[in-house]
Structure formats: C-alpha cells, structure tokens
Amino acid sequence: MFIALKIKAKSVYHGYDEEGRLIIDPVESKGFVEKIIKIDRILSFTEDYIFIECPHDTVQTWEYEGSLADIKAKLTSIDALV
C-alpha cells in the first residue's frame, strides 16, 4: 500500500553517539514535493511531521502539507488506519 503526500525533508536521525546523545542532521529543502510513500516505511505522524524509516538504520522527518486530520482521512480511505 502507498500514500501520496506533499512533503519537505526536515532532518535525518542517525542513532546515538557514544555518550547516548541523538545524532541529528538537518536537511535543507526549498519547497514541498509530491512523493508516493510505501505505508510500511511510515513510523508515525504528528501534527507537524511524518517519521519515515530509511536505509542504513536512519529515520527521516518530513514536514507535510495539510493537517493530521487530512492524513487520517487519506489513511481511512485506503483502510490503512486502525
């Protein structure tokens, strides 16, 4: 299953350093782009961000256009919201 969203990359989480601090790199994005996202890659949504599982044990956060209610409606329409 897939979902289409307009997103803008925000940051990449690489794990933790030897002192237990989260390693985060910001990502520069000029604007929103439409992506077709495999539902299995989505870890969670917040009111502001989508968290995506990526290769090499990283997680990316993306801003998305619309609201959390819009996302819920899209997921409900494809029977992907429990």
Side-chain angles (χ1 to χ4, degrees):
M1 262 190 208
F2 294 84
I3 187 171
L5 296 173
K6 287 192 175 181
I7 63 95
K8 179 170 48 169
K10 186 71 175 166
S11 55
V12 179
Y13 294 75
H14 296 279
Y16 296 88
D17 66 15
E18 52 281 336
E19 295 174 8
R21 292 182 300 235
L22 196 55
I23 302 168
I24 305 170
D25 288 327
V27 176
E28 289 190 35
S29 295
K30 294 185 181 195
F32 287 91
V33 295
E34 186 167 22
K35 286 188 90 97
I36 307 298
I37 305 160
K38 189 172 184 178
I39 296 287
D40 292 351
R41 292 183 59 206
I42 298 171
L43 299 172
S44 66
F45 287 96
T46 67
E47 194 64 45
D48 301 311
Y49 301 106
I50 176 176
F51 292 78
I52 299 291
E53 186 174 32
C54 297
H56 311 292
D57 295 324
T58 62
V59 171
Q60 290 187 6
T61 54
W62 299 339
E63 293 181 46
Y64 59 89
E65 281 190 344
S67 68
L68 188 55
D70 296 334
I71 298 295
K72 287 179 182 179
K74 279 189 173 203
L75 291 171
T76 299
S77 74
I78 61 170
D79 293 326
L81 184 66
V82 179

